[in-house]
């Protein structure tokens, strides 16, 4: 390749020329290798299991953000990108929901179509960017209840800067800085049933073909994917460690909103450290909110644990509760033979996220570390026993639901 082909008029390298010479791809690979080296550093967990999970997580992130850049970054041709599913996991996914996002532009007019099926509720956010890229602005947040959409319904939602004259249907405003449309759809009854289906179209240029691919566009895609991987791996590791250690181990933080998260949700977090022969008993005193869950995630990678095949999470619909409405969760490595068990997968340290949707007053969550052999002394006297056969049936039901919710 001649010098003219690999550099600009001034003789300096250009992004497009770097693609044509192969330099952009080599740089992408080198940046990913650097992230792999970073995972080996002291700021990340360092056991053999942690390291293996870390490199799987890195491969996961590369696959995730390359796919995102290839398919879902053009606001003139938006495509909903499904993430935090059975493949892509990052940023502490809520296992009671599906999540998808698409690029939007503040001057566009979009139609979001939905068939609710078994979905109980969804929340749509309009954001200026991605939390792990340092952009936390949320210009709009609307849930299906406010839009008058419920289970089994179908609807078309207009998404644009101004409500058109004479239009009285569902509408979500687009701010000038809008860049991402984020949809979360919720499922609290873990049953094998058809989940919601969403489609997003841009109406003001519908049918417009993609422009011819340029080397410059490929350079943007590679650089964008690399930056997303780099920031996601570092940001969430730091965020989890700082959030976990903001209070003593096995103590939940005060429930509050998270900047950049869903503003109708309050969260409490705990750095759970449970050794062999121990259990963390968590008493949940919900407020008037009907919707809450607790789930376990990995330290370092902030991935959900094996929720299809282990009881690593529980929500308000699934939880056994006493006559007073209180629920007692038990976090332990071994099955304690009681309801509301959260399985640590044998880990001695996990991150626990407790979230409540639509709270009216702050809920209460209290935790105490107890010997597993004395667990019954710390639970209500009427706590039932869960047999091995009942637990196996519970897990089979979870797996059946997950197979449907994340169906192809």
């Amino acid at each position: 390749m001649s010098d003219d082909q690999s550099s600009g008029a001034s003789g300096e390298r250009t992004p497009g020329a770097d693609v044509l010479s192969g330099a952009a791809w080599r740089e992408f690979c080198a940046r990913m290798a650097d992230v792999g080296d970073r995972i080996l550093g002291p700021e990340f967990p360092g056991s053999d299991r942690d390291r293996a999970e870390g490199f799987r997580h890195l491969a996961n992130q590369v696959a995730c953000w390359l796919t995102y850049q290839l398919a879902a970054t053009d606001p003139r041709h938006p495509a909903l990108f499904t993430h935090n599913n059975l493949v892509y996991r990052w940023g502490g996914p809520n296992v009671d929901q599906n999540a998808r996002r698409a690029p939007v532009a503040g001057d566009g007019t979009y139609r979001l179509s939905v068939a609710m099926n078994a979905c109980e509720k969804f929340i749509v956010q309009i954001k200026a960017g991605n939390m792990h890229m340092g952009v936390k602005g949320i210009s709009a947040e609307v849930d299906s209840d406010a839009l008058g959409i419920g289970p089994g319904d179908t609807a078309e939602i207009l998404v644009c800067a101004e409500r058109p004259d004479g239009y009285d249907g569902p509408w979500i405003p687009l701010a000038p800085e809008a860049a991402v449309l984020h949809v979360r759809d919720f499922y609290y009854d873990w049953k094998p049933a058809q989940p919601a289906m969403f489609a997003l179209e841009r109406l003001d240029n519908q049918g417009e073909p993609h422009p011819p691919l340029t080397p410059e566009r490929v350079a943007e895609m590679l650089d964008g994917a690399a930056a997303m991987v780099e920031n996601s791996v570092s940001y969430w590791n730091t965020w989890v460690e700082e959030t976990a250690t903001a209070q003593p181990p096995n103590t939940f933080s005060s429930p509050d909103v998270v900047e950049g998260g869903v503003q109708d949700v309050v969260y409490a977090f705990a750095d759970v450290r449970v050794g062999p022969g121990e259990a963390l008993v968590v008493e949940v005193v919900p407020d008037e909110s009907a919707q809450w869950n607790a789930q376990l995630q990995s330290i370092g990678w902030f991935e959900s644990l094996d929720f299809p095949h282990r009881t690593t999470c529980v929500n308000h619909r699934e939880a056994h509760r006493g006559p007073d409405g209180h629920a007692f969760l038990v976090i332990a490595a071994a099955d304690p033979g009681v309801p509301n068990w959260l399985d640590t997968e044998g880990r001695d340290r996990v991150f626990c996220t407790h979230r409540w949707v639509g709270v009216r007053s702050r809920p209460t969550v209290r935790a105490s570390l107890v010997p597993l052999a004395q667990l019954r002394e710390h639970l209500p006297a009427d706590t039932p026993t869960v047999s091995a056969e009942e637990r196996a049936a519970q897990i089979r039901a979870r797996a059946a639901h997950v197979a449907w919710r994340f169906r192809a």
Side-chain angles (χ1 to χ4, degrees):
M1 179 174 292
S2 70
D3 290 342
D4 289 341
Q5 289 175 299
S6 60
S7 62
S10 65
E12 297 180 356
R13 289 171 52 186
T14 64
D18 281 352
V19 168
L20 297 178
S21 70
W25 179 255
R26 289 191 294 273
E27 181 182 354
F28 174 83
C29 295
R31 289 169 70 176
M32 296 304 94
D34 286 344
V35 179
D37 291 341
R38 198 184 312 159
I39 285 173
L40 300 175
E43 66 272 26
F44 286 90
S47 72
D48 289 353
R49 180 177 188 173
D50 292 327
R51 291 276 169 83
E53 290 183 344
F55 284 104
R56 182 194 64 186
H57 181 71
L58 174 56
N60 181 299
Q61 296 298 283
V62 172
C64 175
W65 297 116
L66 272 177
T67 303
Y68 182 69
Q69 286 291 327
L70 287 166
T73 55
D74 181 0
R76 296 194 64 81
H77 302 89
L80 285 165
F81 173 72
T82 301
H83 59 94
N84 280 337
N85 49 24
L86 295 181
V87 179
Y88 304 136
R89 301 187 197 179
W90 53 274
N94 180 353
V95 298
D96 281 330
Q97 73 177 30
N98 287 359
R100 63 208 85 207
R101 63 182 57 208
V104 292
D107 60 353
T109 298
Y110 301 86
R111 178 170 59 208
L112 179 66
S113 302
V114 55
M116 290 289 281
N117 298 320
C119 173
E120 299 189 41
K121 177 178 183 172
F122 67 82
I123 295 175
V124 178
Q125 287 182 313
I126 306 298
K127 302 179 177 182
N130 293 286
M131 187 173 175
H132 65 270
M133 298 295 287
V135 183
K136 300 179 181 179
I138 299 171
S139 61
E141 180 176 297
V142 183
D143 67 33
S144 53
D145 296 336
L147 296 172
I149 303 169
D153 290 345
T154 59
E156 295 181 348
I157 306 163
L158 195 63
V159 184
C160 56
E162 302 289 341
R163 182 189 287 272
D165 292 340
Y167 177 77
D168 60 358
W171 170 69
I172 299 174
L174 272 182
E177 70 274 14
V180 177
L181 180 146
H182 197 173
V183 183
R184 297 172 170 90
D185 42 308
F186 295 84
Y187 305 84
Y188 297 115
D189 276 331
W190 282 41
K191 297 179 179 178
Q194 181 83 342
M197 300 176 67
F198 292 87
L200 183 68
E201 306 160 86
R202 181 159 178 168
L203 302 181
D204 55 310
N205 69 335
Q206 199 165 35
E208 173 188 275
H210 286 274
L213 183 66
T214 64
E216 290 74 17
R217 175 59 185 139
V218 175
E220 290 176 4
M221 291 163 55
L222 291 174
D223 180 66
M228 289 288 241
V229 174
E230 292 163 339
N231 283 273
S232 178
V233 170
S234 293
Y235 179 91
W236 291 116
N237 174 60
T238 301
W239 189 93
V240 168
E241 191 63 27
E242 291 179 349
T243 303
T245 57
Q247 56 280 323
N250 298 322
T251 304
F252 279 86
S253 61
S254 298
D256 205 350
V257 296
V258 171
E259 184 183 8
V262 179
Q263 301 304 287
D264 195 37
V265 177
V266 298
Y267 302 82
F269 305 102
D271 182 0
V272 177
R273 303 188 184 217
V274 179
E278 294 179 327
L280 188 69
V281 177
V282 183
E283 182 182 7
V284 180
V285 184
D287 78 336
E288 298 176 29
S289 168
Q291 300 160 345
W292 60 264
N293 76 2
Q295 66 178 88
L296 304 182
Q297 290 134 344
S298 59
I299 296 290
W301 323 118
F302 208 10
E303 295 185 3
S304 51
L305 302 190
D306 186 12
F307 64 93
H309 308 109
R310 294 176 180 264
T311 58
T312 62
C313 59
V314 66
N315 66 42
H316 63 280
R317 196 73 57 75
E318 301 168 310
H320 173 270
R321 287 187 274 181
D324 58 2
H326 295 200
F328 287 82
L329 318 183
V330 179
I331 304 177
D335 188 344
V338 297
N340 308 336
W341 172 42
L342 299 186
D343 182 355
T344 66
E345 300 182 346
R347 302 165 189 262
D348 57 9
R349 187 183 182 204
V350 291
F351 189 70
C352 185
T353 298
H354 211 319
R355 55 170 63 80
W356 294 263
V357 179
V359 295
R360 298 170 182 83
S361 61
R362 287 294 183 263
T364 300
V365 54
R366 295 184 286 263
S368 57
L369 188 66
V370 305
L372 193 58
Q374 300 171 19
L375 176 62
R376 286 281 178 179
E377 299 173 18
H378 299 271
L379 298 175
D382 60 353
T383 300
T385 296
V386 176
S387 69
E389 292 76 14
E390 289 170 327
R391 187 75 73 200
Q394 178 188 13
I395 292 172
R396 286 195 298 272
R398 294 171 68 87
H401 163 76
V402 170
W404 272 86
R405 177 142 59 94
F406 297 104
R407 86 278 182 268

